[in-house]
Amino acid sequence: MLYIGVMSGTSLDGLDIALVALDGSIRLLASHYIPMPETLRAELLGLCASGPDEIARAPSPSRTG
């Protein structure tokens, strides 16, 4: 079976993507790194800070276009 994993660390500096095969053992087939755009990184980090408007700052279907 093939699986794709996507994650970002707590620094939100980018996305790490891995393609692995699981067939009795784990084999890394490919990996890729995509830097996080600075505006998106700043917005995501802002959502990590608690405050009275954190729900209002989160994306909603009406604001995502």
Side-chain angles (χ1 to χ4, degrees):
M1 301 284 295
L2 297 177
Y3 295 90
I4 296 175
V6 179
M7 71 170 288
S8 175
T10 56
S11 68
L12 298 172
D13 62 339
L15 295 175
D16 292 296
I17 305 162
L19 173 64
V20 298
L22 299 177
D23 50 15
S25 64
I26 301 172
R27 292 180 295 124
L28 177 63
L29 303 177
S31 64
H32 189 69
Y33 173 78
I34 301 173
M36 186 77 68
E38 189 55 41
T39 54
L40 178 57
R41 181 178 183 268
E43 188 173 338
L44 291 172
L45 286 171
L47 289 173
C48 294
S50 63
D53 64 344
E54 63 196 66
I55 299 298
R57 290 183 281 139
S60 70
S62 64
R63 291 198 311 244
T64 57

